[in-house]
Amino acid sequence: MLVCVRITSALVDPALLDLPWSTPLEEWPADHLVALPQGISRHVVRFVKLGGTVYAVKETGERVAEREYDLLRALERIDFPAVEAVAIVADRQSRDGEPLDPVLITRHLQFSLPYRALFSHTLRPETMTRLLDALAALIVRMHLTGFFWGDCSLSNTLFRRDAGAFAAYLVDAETGALHPKLSNGQRGEDLEIARVNIFGEALDLQAAGLLHDSIDPEVVSEEVVQRYERLWHEVTYEQEIQREDRHDIEGRIRRLNELGFDVAEVAMSLVDRGAYRVRPKVVDAGYHTRRLMRLAGLDAEENQARRLLNDLDTYRAESDLTDEQQAAHRWLTEVFEPVVRAVPAHLRRKLEPSELFVQIIEHRWRLSEEAGRDVGLAPAVQSFLNDVLVHRPDEQAVLGVELSSL
């Protein structure tokens, strides 16, 4: 039987019309549903699969649905990591003519899991660290955007590996508000709500015997706050750097690394008075190797690739290049290759090119720290060749010697 409903959507899937809108969501038949892990919700939520796409359907009030729909659409326009709003279905009635709550439909984020589901299983310490890093980075990015969430929790946050990246996504935005800028008081309130919610959900999981014995709910909630505060400081404080003081930018990246944040993309933008702003993205192992190969065609180990990409990103910021591929090509031809060619033929067996460049970067950093200024690449190369590389054994020769003889 055709049911009359009112659907608000930018691009509606016609298959949505075939869903049993005259039935309360709690009573939807199993043949329409997909079993997926989900967190705690104050509303009835169901997952349905239509034509290869999975949607989350949530019953809520009409004004709340409209507000959340508009907020999610606004976040989508600014490329914020949140689920995609698809439609609002209103004017629902039961077969007896009783009014039913409207529903908000969002597109399910493929290959994602609620943080609550992840914490319900055994987590390795390094995995836990990266999950907390990703969550802290999400809240930082959210506050930089001017978005006040008001309900951050393990249930309302999704986690996904995306092309090697560890990323957290916002799910529920009904308590949120988008402002031009958040005050310190608003940020503090939002962070305290997150801390209390995460602590409470972790206690709930612990009471149910679902939390690993090594995980302390209080430590987890406090860790998110501490990581947020350290990252917020590194991302937002304005550091005036002259273009010739390149080593100061590298120092900024190093401090982020020391805080436990692997930086996949270092977005350095020029702000007032020439200051640089750095925005990190937490990544999984192997990401840097793949990104370096994609951008520059260089095959390197993960740590080597990470240092090379840091140098590339610094070069891109200094050169005011917006196109990543163009910046990578210029960096390769104007920086990396000239450094490798500068090594005399009789010294080229000592280090392979990627390791050579990384060690020169490190050498330049040390010289710049000692001098209190950026010494420049060319002097660093000459110093490394004359004072360091010439005294090293040939790497190829060493690799051919039995370990017992070394």
Side-chain angles (χ1 to χ4, degrees):
M1 182 179 73
L2 184 63
V3 178
C4 293
V5 293
R6 176 165 52 88
I7 298 180
T8 303
S9 175
L11 183 63
V12 67
D13 184 341
L16 291 174
L17 296 171
D18 298 329
L19 292 174
W21 297 120
S22 60
T23 303
L25 200 54
E26 199 169 24
E27 300 173 10
W28 275 21
D31 59 348
H32 284 87
L33 305 180
V34 178
L36 290 174
Q38 65 184 84
I40 298 173
S41 175
R42 63 177 67 89
H43 305 287
V44 178
V45 179
R46 294 290 184 266
F47 294 102
V48 298
K49 187 173 183 179
L50 300 172
T53 301
V54 176
Y55 299 98
V57 184
K58 178 176 74 172
E59 276 184 340
T60 185
E62 184 168 0
R63 291 184 64 183
V64 174
E66 290 173 350
R67 185 171 180 276
E68 185 171 6
Y69 177 84
D70 290 341
L71 269 175
L72 289 174
R73 292 293 306 277
L75 291 175
E76 182 183 351
R77 285 192 291 271
I78 60 177
D79 197 29
F80 185 83
V83 294
E84 177 188 347
V86 174
I88 299 170
V89 180
D91 294 346
R92 297 172 62 212
Q93 291 185 355
S94 70
R95 296 182 185 279
D96 298 330
E98 293 295 321
L100 298 176
D101 286 335
V103 301
L104 173 69
I105 304 174
T106 57
R107 193 183 307 275
H108 176 65
L109 191 67
Q110 280 192 304
F111 311 113
S112 68
L113 288 171
Y115 264 65
R116 183 183 174 91
L118 290 165
F119 275 77
S120 301
H121 300 84
T122 301
L123 292 176
R124 294 179 298 162
E126 58 269 27
T127 303
M128 170 75 77
T129 296
R130 291 186 176 276
L131 286 173
L132 298 182
D133 286 346
L135 181 53
L138 174 71
I139 302 174
V140 166
R141 182 175 178 185
M142 177 175 68
H143 288 172
L144 288 170
T145 302
F147 186 77
F148 178 89
W149 194 347
D151 197 23
C152 175
S153 69
L154 298 180
S155 292
N156 284 349
T157 313
L158 294 179
F159 168 84
R160 182 171 74 166
R161 286 183 174 88
D162 185 8
F166 274 42
Y169 289 77
L170 177 149
V171 178
D172 194 326
E174 70 176 53
T175 57
L178 194 57
H179 303 278
K181 185 178 180 180
L182 294 183
S183 68
N184 289 337
Q186 287 172 314
R187 289 195 304 106
E189 180 185 356
D190 211 15
L191 198 58
E192 178 61 14
I193 292 171
R195 187 190 68 79
V196 172
N197 284 350
I198 292 169
F199 182 47
E201 279 202 76
L203 283 176
D204 181 54
L205 291 170
Q206 187 181 62
L210 297 174
L211 197 66
H212 192 268
D213 293 339
S214 65
I215 300 177
D216 184 329
E218 186 173 8
V219 170
V220 169
S221 60
E222 292 298 335
E223 271 286 299
V224 171
V225 173
Q226 291 170 13
R227 288 170 185 273
Y228 168 91
E229 290 175 341
R230 293 197 299 267
L231 181 56
W232 178 266
H233 173 73
E234 280 296 342
V235 170
T236 59
Y237 87 88
E238 291 193 356
Q239 179 183 8
E240 293 191 5
I241 302 172
Q242 301 303 315
R243 287 185 178 273
E244 61 270 16
D245 292 335
R246 168 194 175 102
H247 72 290
D248 288 341
I249 303 175
E250 294 178 9
R252 189 77 176 273
I253 297 170
R254 286 169 183 263
R255 286 193 299 276
L256 285 166
N257 293 156
E258 288 166 3
L259 287 173
F261 295 98
D262 280 343
V263 181
E265 298 170 359
V266 182
M268 300 180 192
S269 57
L270 230 41
V271 293
D272 293 343
R273 296 165 298 174
Y276 284 99
R277 179 166 292 167
V278 180
R279 296 190 183 185
K281 180 180 179 181
V282 182
V283 296
D284 197 359
Y287 176 89
H288 301 92
T289 297
R290 293 190 293 273
R291 182 179 173 226
L292 184 66
M293 175 61 79
R294 174 175 59 82
L295 289 175
L298 296 176
D299 189 9
E301 297 295 333
E302 181 68 3
N303 287 335
Q304 291 174 345
R306 173 174 160 176
R307 292 295 294 119
L308 293 173
L309 286 168
N310 283 348
D311 194 77
L312 189 161
D313 287 333
T314 302
Y315 172 85
R316 179 184 172 190
E318 291 175 338
S319 305
D320 293 329
L321 294 172
T322 56
D323 186 273
E324 187 179 49
Q325 200 69 53
Q326 179 188 5
H329 175 73
R330 284 183 52 180
W331 173 84
L332 185 68
T333 57
E334 297 177 11
V335 181
F336 182 84
E337 291 177 348
V339 166
V340 174
R341 288 197 301 268
V343 180
H346 68 283
L347 297 179
R348 289 178 184 169
R349 288 165 54 90
K350 294 183 179 293
L351 291 173
E352 55 92 19
S354 293
E355 182 63 24
L356 171 75
F357 191 87
V358 167
Q359 292 202 20
I360 287 176
I361 292 174
E362 294 293 329
H363 188 67
R364 176 182 179 176
W365 167 258
R366 287 190 293 269
L367 292 178
S368 298
E369 285 291 283
E370 292 170 3
R373 60 178 179 80
D374 184 18
V375 299
L377 184 57
V381 170
Q382 287 306 311
S383 173
F384 183 81
L385 296 180
N386 297 334
D387 302 332
V388 180
L389 190 61
V390 70
H391 301 297
R392 289 183 60 96
D394 285 2
E395 186 177 68
Q396 291 181 1
V398 170
L399 291 176
V401 176
E402 293 292 332
L403 292 178
S404 59
S405 65
L406 294 178

